Amino acid sequence: MRPSMRALDIAEVVRRTGIPTSTLRYYEEKGLITPVGRHGLRRQYAPDVLDHLALIALTRSAGFTLDEIAAMFTPDGRPNLDRGVFAAKADDLDATVRRLTAARDSLRHAAACPAPNHLECPTFRALLTSALPVRPAPDRRTGGARP
């Protein structure tokens, strides 16, 4: 660490990030962050720990595991981000957003549907069918979908 860069006390890191000390210690155990020393009993961190913690928060919110996140850092602690991995995760998130949007729209329709019985509503029945991971095969006798 350069002399002009002041180490951050663990309490300062907590104050600036909102991340509890127990989580910081866990991230240390997982090798995600490393203290640069101690001042008494208190851990001290380089200022770039704030960037590391922001990257961890971003990737956690995207669904990466801590082991996957740990692989995003070189042995000396510098980020080494794989654009392909990020693109694949973004594609997964797009698919999740589409699924959740369809679920939300279906629930909104069900909440406002004027049909006396939801199963009498053609829109609701179509939404139920589209919610299945596999579409029902047509019934050969009637030409329609099987129940």
Side-chain angles (χ1 to χ4, degrees):
M1 186 166 59
R2 292 187 310 239
S4 63
M5 296 175 59
R6 180 180 70 80
L8 301 174
D9 183 88
I10 192 168
E12 176 71 5
V13 174
V14 169
R15 186 185 69 71
R16 291 175 68 175
T17 65
I19 299 172
T21 57
S22 58
T23 301
L24 295 174
R25 287 190 295 269
Y26 183 66
Y27 287 170
E28 279 183 41
E29 288 175 29
K30 296 294 279 181
L32 297 171
I33 61 173
T34 305
V36 294
R38 290 186 178 267
H39 186 271
L41 296 176
R42 298 171 77 96
R43 291 169 169 82
Q44 301 285 299
Y45 297 94
D48 66 355
V49 75
L50 301 175
D51 291 334
H52 285 210
L53 292 169
L55 178 60
I56 293 166
L58 171 68
T59 51
R60 288 290 289 159
S61 69
F64 285 96
T65 66
L66 290 179
D67 288 336
E68 290 170 326
I69 295 167
M72 294 177 190
F73 291 97
T74 62
D76 66 353
R78 289 182 300 174
N80 183 24
L81 308 178
D82 183 327
R83 295 179 199 297
V85 170
F86 276 35
K89 183 59 82 170
D91 291 344
D92 290 346
L93 290 173
D94 284 340
T96 299
V97 167
R98 284 191 299 276
R99 261 191 332 274
L100 290 173
T101 299
R104 180 208 56 211
D105 293 348
S106 298
L107 294 174
R108 292 227 186 271
H109 176 81
C113 182
N117 178 324
H118 287 94
L119 295 180
E120 294 174 10
C121 172
T123 301
F124 187 73
R125 290 192 66 78
L127 292 169
L128 287 178
T129 300
S130 68
L132 294 172
V134 177
R135 305 291 181 251
D139 186 331
R140 294 179 196 191
R141 293 171 293 172
T142 64
R146 289 186 211 158

